[in-house]
Amino acid sequence: MEGMEKIATKPVGITDTTLRDGHQSNLATRMRVEDMVPIAEELDQAGFYSAEVWGGATYDVCHRFLGEDPWERVRILKKVMPKTPFQMLLRGQNLVGYRHYADDLVEAFVEKCAEVGIDIFRVFDAVNDERNFETAFKVIKRCGKHIQGTICYSLTETRMGGPIYNINYYLEKAKILESMGADSICIKDMAALIAPYDAYELIKALKKTVKVPLQIHTHYTSGMGTMTYLKAIEAGVDVVDTALAPFALRSSQPAVEPLLVAIQGTPWDPKIDLSKLLKLGEYLESIAPKYRDFLDTTKMSVIDTAVLKHQIPGGMISNMVSQLRQQNALHRISEVYAELPRTRKDLGFPPLVTPTSQIVGVQAVLNVLFGRYKMLSKETQDYVYGLYGKSPVPISDEIKKTVLKGYKKGKDPITCRPADVIEPELEKVKEETKGLAKDLYDTLIYALFPQTGTQFLKWKYGLEPVPDKVKPKTMEEIKREDEAIAKAKAEAQKK
């Protein structure tokens, strides 16, 4: 190819997200380990830079809805996949839960993650407050594992720029993460907002600013994902995130197969065997009927072009719809869309990712239903008080006064690292789980999810029967359902 001979050969690394974000984004995280094991060995031989197998919602869904031990999932997969580095998504001081935890819990959790087989920790924070990385970074380094410092990509305009999320914002954050000991840096674009040429400009600038390798993560929600990866690769990004085609696209990652062909024969070609991946895709198609009820088929389009304008992640939309439906107010969704940017501005323009997306979304709904800040969620008050970290833009005194009026912790927000005001928790949860938890892994399930964790441990040790709704459907059951539907359709057509 003309001009390519002048470019130094630099095969791009590919992180496979099929076993984590692929099914989390498209199938509500419902893939069971029994359906992962049959392809795990071949995935291990494919030549991926890493396999993202854990973190995010997997820990929650595993024990809550599938009746599976989340720790055991990693152990099982590691036995079959010893070659490929295992990667997880860690929400900084939030771990894999929805609030900040004490330092002693963070230390114990990270140590156990390293023990079961996690090699690369992608650590992010919802407001990009690097203070929320301090404890996790320290323990990951102590365990001899890879720290991937992560910056949540966000916008206030349609493209990168403006007074907040401009190129300098990302460069400064990257320098801080590198100085804190990050082994690599990831740009995490959770809402599929990063445009191809913005990705090119950002990666080029980062390459001149930091020395550690760069990775980019995006979703296909807006339809820009593969184009964005091509430009990022041209700019010199070291690793990109993709999923096998059956679990890719929609709100998941770009598909690996067409990307491989697009860069075949170029200096960036990772030389991964396409035919092997196609075989793995066939397997996923064969077990996909088990999970089809979780796939969103409400629209013809497999992308959500509206996200290019409203910038709201899919999970945030579904939460707001559920909240409005419970109040018999779904007809007011357009008012919520109009209120969202105002609420986000009031709260200092946080990136919209768990848990800030839920905080902003819930408060926007409450503002529409009951009047602006007439009703407040506890999480909104905690956020404004500073318990989630420092907002990207200072919150106005007026909003602070309104939100913190009557707040039990006080009217003056904290300015220290949020975890500094959290009392140690580990010994307390050990005491609470005596007689139920058999080891620290069990205790941590309870610590992060007290109610559902207790229920799971009772299932795990046979103290209560596992309900039928938690048990998996068999392919035979799926086949009988299909036959019944086909029969009903045939009879309807006769009439």
Side-chain angles (χ1 to χ4, degrees):
M1 282 170 275
E2 195 174 341
M4 287 288 180
E5 65 276 2
K6 297 176 183 176
I7 301 170
T9 299
K10 185 197 167 190
V12 67
I14 309 280
T15 289
D16 177 69
T17 67
T18 305
L19 302 185
R20 204 287 292 180
D21 208 355
H23 68 103
Q24 178 173 322
S25 292
N26 281 347
L27 302 169
T29 330
R30 289 311 200 274
M31 192 182 189
R32 293 176 177 273
V33 72
E34 67 186 41
D35 289 325
M36 299 177 182
V37 170
I39 57 165
E41 189 174 347
E42 289 181 66
L43 264 178
D44 195 38
Q45 300 301 320
F48 289 115
Y49 167 80
S50 66
E52 191 193 47
V53 299
W54 215 52
T58 54
Y59 196 92
D60 184 356
V61 173
C62 250
H63 81 272
R64 186 192 300 256
F65 297 116
L66 306 181
E68 290 184 11
D69 188 324
W71 299 103
E72 192 60 22
R73 172 176 290 192
V74 188
R75 289 191 197 99
I76 290 168
L77 290 173
K78 196 70 175 179
K79 284 178 184 173
V80 197
M81 300 178 67
K83 183 179 173 185
T84 307
F86 273 13
Q87 186 165 316
M88 79 167 289
L89 184 65
L90 191 79
R91 299 181 187 128
Q93 204 78 22
N94 277 197
L95 300 177
V96 290
Y98 305 106
R99 67 168 175 90
H100 273 18
Y101 298 95
D103 286 335
D104 61 347
L105 267 185
V106 173
E107 290 189 26
F109 186 85
V110 171
E111 284 171 359
K112 291 300 168 188
C113 291
E115 273 183 27
V116 295
I118 299 300
D119 303 294
I120 300 170
F121 289 77
R122 176 175 291 171
V123 190
F124 81 95
D125 178 66
V127 291
N128 288 329
D129 186 340
E130 54 277 355
R131 297 175 304 171
N132 292 328
F133 294 158
E134 288 176 11
T135 302
F137 273 29
K138 178 182 71 177
V139 187
I140 296 165
K141 188 69 77 176
R142 190 170 73 219
C143 292
K145 301 298 184 178
H146 181 114
I147 301 169
Q148 185 164 90
T150 304
I151 308 166
C152 291
Y153 186 82
S154 193
L155 299 173
T156 56
E157 331 284 317
T158 310
R159 296 279 301 274
M160 183 173 64
I164 305 163
Y165 297 110
N166 50 50
I167 199 160
N168 285 331
Y169 172 88
Y170 296 106
L171 298 183
E172 289 304 312
K173 289 293 179 185
K175 284 193 281 188
I176 291 168
L177 293 179
E178 185 178 50
S179 71
M180 289 175 70
D183 299 300
S184 63
I185 287 170
C186 176
I187 298 298
K188 176 179 165 60
D189 174 28
M190 53 281 174
L193 300 178
I194 190 164
Y197 287 101
D198 287 341
Y200 183 87
E201 184 184 355
L202 179 55
I203 297 299
K204 275 283 188 188
L206 283 168
K207 278 288 175 185
K208 294 174 183 174
T209 305
V210 294
K211 294 183 173 64
V212 294
L214 302 176
Q215 186 155 355
I216 188 167
H217 168 94
T218 193
H219 291 248
Y220 204 75
T221 320
S222 66
M224 293 193 293
T226 306
M227 294 185 286
T228 292
Y229 278 175
L230 279 175
K231 295 308 295 182
I233 290 167
E234 287 178 13
V237 80
D238 297 281
V239 189
V240 298
D241 286 9
T242 64
L244 292 169
F247 284 8
L249 308 182
R250 301 180 188 270
S251 56
S252 175
Q253 277 69 61
V256 61
E257 300 88 345
L259 183 67
L260 288 178
V261 174
I263 58 176
Q264 185 179 345
T266 72
W268 309 292
D269 187 350
K271 294 186 167 56
I272 290 175
D273 189 339
L274 178 64
S275 60
K276 286 184 179 178
L277 301 190
L278 295 176
K279 184 181 173 185
L280 296 177
E282 286 174 12
Y283 166 79
L284 291 178
E285 290 290 0
S286 76
I287 56 101
K290 288 187 184 181
Y291 306 105
R292 64 186 175 194
D293 293 346
F294 298 104
L295 187 66
D296 182 6
T297 55
T298 57
K299 291 183 178 178
M300 180 78 173
S301 177
V302 296
I303 61 171
D304 175 16
T305 48
V307 78
L308 295 166
K309 181 71 175 171
H310 63 57
Q311 300 183 0
I312 306 167
M316 185 176 172
I317 293 172
S318 59
N319 284 340
M320 293 187 304
V321 167
S322 174
Q323 197 181 354
L324 288 167
R325 189 174 280 130
Q326 287 171 11
Q327 297 289 331
N328 294 316
L330 196 52
H331 60 285
R332 303 189 70 180
I333 187 73
S334 59
E335 294 176 62
V336 174
Y337 277 127
E339 171 60 25
L340 263 167
R342 291 196 289 268
T343 303
R344 187 185 180 212
K345 181 180 179 183
D346 289 344
L347 299 182
F349 287 106
L352 298 177
V353 64
T354 303
T356 49
S357 54
Q358 285 87 338
I359 293 169
V360 173
V362 167
Q363 193 56 53
V365 170
L366 293 176
N367 286 354
V368 166
L369 295 180
F370 304 103
R372 302 198 83 232
Y373 304 106
K374 300 296 183 188
M375 183 177 284
L376 294 155
S377 74
K378 175 184 175 295
E379 289 75 18
T380 298
Q381 291 184 304
D382 288 347
Y383 172 85
V384 172
Y385 188 66
L387 294 184
Y388 288 89
K390 185 181 178 183
S391 57
V393 172
I395 298 169
S396 72
D397 290 340
E398 182 188 356
I399 292 295
K400 287 179 193 172
K401 185 178 177 182
T402 301
V403 171
L404 297 178
K405 184 179 179 182
Y407 180 60
K408 64 181 180 181
K409 288 187 172 70
K411 60 179 176 27
D412 297 317
I414 62 170
T415 55
C416 62
R417 185 181 71 109
D420 288 341
V421 300
I422 305 174
E423 294 291 327
E425 298 180 76
L426 187 56
E427 292 309 314
K428 180 171 175 274
V429 293
K430 281 181 179 178
E431 189 63 34
E432 289 171 357
T433 54
K434 267 187 179 176
L436 182 59
K438 299 288 174 67
D439 53 30
L440 188 50
Y441 296 105
D442 286 348
T443 301
L444 288 167
I445 294 173
Y446 167 84
L448 270 59
F449 299 95
Q451 188 175 350
T452 57
T454 299
Q455 179 65 77
F456 167 74
L457 292 174
K458 288 177 180 177
W459 294 341
K460 180 178 176 179
Y461 295 115
L463 300 175
E464 287 185 11
V466 180
D468 288 340
K469 66 180 181 181
V470 174
K471 294 173 183 174
K473 277 185 181 180
T474 65
M475 290 304 291
E476 194 58 42
E477 287 171 326
I478 298 280
K479 186 179 177 183
R480 285 199 296 269
E481 283 179 11
D482 287 346
E483 287 171 351
I485 291 168
K487 185 179 178 182
K489 281 182 178 177
E491 288 175 357
Q493 285 172 351
K494 285 179 187 176
K495 293 176 183 177

